[in-house]
């Protein structure tokens, strides 16, 4: 640090590496200024005052090397060939089969950071997709533009998008899910038939009689509809006879 001051009443200011301190009297006050040497820039307050107590109102300040960290872009390149000074801007471009994620430019700020943040080059191909529980997909290619199709195991139904496409390194949607299929309750008539069949199985005589009835029915050449109609006619006649006797 180099001092350039004629002020004898104020003490030496705190040292700041890689800087020159200049003091001058302005309107009765002694002002001090830090000036960074070439290749460095000031971070913090630049000008200070020697107050009535003959002390400098100095807050933390420093001179930093005047370039940002070298930009690194894997699978791509930028238009920088050396140290980038504060205020410089650079641009980025990805190699073939890679896509830029982030800004295609950035600026070196006073605090030695890049703004916007440095981008990345991401492959246009997709990572292997996930498999839903009780499901699977068909399609072995994950390159950009490829399509895979999802299926569910037996007794499960697919909920979500069946087909996913790889678009510039990302799948078009989230993988679907496989949910269990709720069994439909059996109608009451089926339950009754099951009980009848069970009764037939438990009663060998009844089962035998039913078998004989069906055998005789086939030999007679009649159909079940004809037998049913005949029984209904006989039932109607019996009901008519009972009604006549009652009226007498």
């Amino acid at each position: 640090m180099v001092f350039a001051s004629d002020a004898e009443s104020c003490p030496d200011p705190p040292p700041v590496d890689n800087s020159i301190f200049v003091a001058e009297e302005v309107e009765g006050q002694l002002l001090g200024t830090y000036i960074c040497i070439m290749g460095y820039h000031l971070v913090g307050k630049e000008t200070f005052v020697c107050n009535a107590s003959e002390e400098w109102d100095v807050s933390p300040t420093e001179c930093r090397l005047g370039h940002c960290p070298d930009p690194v872009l894997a699978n791509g390149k930028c238009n920088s060939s050396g140290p980038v000074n504060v205020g410089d801007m650079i641009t980025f471009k990805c190699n073939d089969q890679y896509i830029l994620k982030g800004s295609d430019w950035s600026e070196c700020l006073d605090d030695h950071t890049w703004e916007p943040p440095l981008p990345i080059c991401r492959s246009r191909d997709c990572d292997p997709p996930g498999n839903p529980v009780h499901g699977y997909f068909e399609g072995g290619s994950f390159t950009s533009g490829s399509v895979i199709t999802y299926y569910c195991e037996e007794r499960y139904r697919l909920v979500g998008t069946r087909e996913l496409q790889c678009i510039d390194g990302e799948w078009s949607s989230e993988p679907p899910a496989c949910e269990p299929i709720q069994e439909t309750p059996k109608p009451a008539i089926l339950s009754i038939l099951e009980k009848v069949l069970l009764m037939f199985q438990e009663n060998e005589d009844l089962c035998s009689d039913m078998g004989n009835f069906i055998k005789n029915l086939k030999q007679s050449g009649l159909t079940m509809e004809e037998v049913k109609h005949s029984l209904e006619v006989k039932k109607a006649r019996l009901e008519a006879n009972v009604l006549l006797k009652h009226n007498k």
Side-chain angles (χ1 to χ4, degrees):
M1 176 176 174
V2 180
F3 294 96
S5 173
D6 294 330
E8 297 181 355
S9 57
C10 288
D12 292 339
V16 174
D17 293 340
N18 304 303
S19 73
I20 297 174
F21 184 80
V22 177
E24 59 179 334
E25 188 174 347
V26 178
E27 297 181 355
Q29 284 187 317
L30 191 63
L31 303 181
T33 303
Y34 288 102
I35 301 176
C36 295
I37 63 176
M38 185 176 295
Y40 291 80
H41 68 282
L42 188 75
V43 177
K45 189 175 179 181
E46 180 180 11
T47 302
F48 304 90
V49 177
C50 182
N51 56 35
S53 301
E54 297 183 349
E55 295 178 352
W56 294 101
D57 60 341
V58 176
S59 59
T61 188
E62 61 180 313
C63 288
R64 294 181 182 176
L65 190 63
H67 63 78
C68 284
D70 293 337
V72 177
L73 185 65
N75 302 308
K77 56 186 176 181
C78 60
N79 64 344
S80 171
S81 58
V84 183
N85 295 322
V86 172
D88 288 349
M89 295 177 58
I90 58 174
T91 57
F92 305 94
K93 183 179 180 180
C94 292
N95 299 336
D96 293 340
Q97 301 304 317
Y98 289 86
I99 185 170
L100 192 75
K101 295 294 183 179
S103 174
D104 62 353
W105 67 273
S106 189
E107 181 181 2
C108 179
L109 302 182
D110 290 342
D111 60 357
H112 292 170
T113 61
W114 292 103
E115 183 62 33
L118 300 182
I120 61 173
C121 289
R122 183 172 178 175
S123 174
R124 292 183 181 272
D125 297 339
C126 290
D127 295 329
N131 260 339
V133 179
H134 301 295
Y136 60 95
F137 67 84
E138 291 184 353
S141 176
F142 308 142
T143 58
S144 183
S146 62
V147 176
I148 60 172
T149 306
Y150 279 89
Y151 299 92
C152 291
E153 298 174 357
E154 188 177 354
R155 294 199 298 259
Y156 288 86
R157 66 184 184 91
L158 189 135
V159 178
T161 305
R162 181 174 294 277
E163 292 187 345
L164 271 64
Q165 184 176 21
C166 177
I167 302 175
D168 289 336
E170 296 181 358
W171 292 106
S172 55
S173 66
E174 293 294 324
C178 291
E179 295 183 353
I181 298 175
Q182 300 295 329
E183 294 186 3
T184 305
K186 296 181 179 180
I189 186 63
L190 293 181
S191 178
I192 294 174
L193 289 175
E194 288 178 350
K195 293 180 180 178
V196 172
L197 290 175
L198 181 62
M199 181 180 66
F200 283 164
Q201 292 174 358
E202 293 177 348
N203 192 327
E204 294 182 359
D205 293 339
L206 182 59
C207 185
S208 178
D209 292 342
M210 180 61 70
N212 292 332
F213 170 76
I214 294 175
K215 181 179 178 181
N216 294 332
L217 183 65
K218 289 182 178 180
Q219 291 177 350
S220 67
L222 296 174
T223 65
M224 287 295 294
E225 289 297 325
E226 290 173 333
V227 172
K228 179 181 177 182
H229 177 70
S230 177
L231 292 173
E232 289 177 348
V233 171
K234 289 182 179 181
K235 178 183 177 183
R237 288 176 180 176
L238 288 173
E239 290 177 347
N241 291 333
V242 170
L243 183 62
L244 287 174
K245 291 180 180 180
H246 180 74
N247 290 335
K248 289 180 180 181

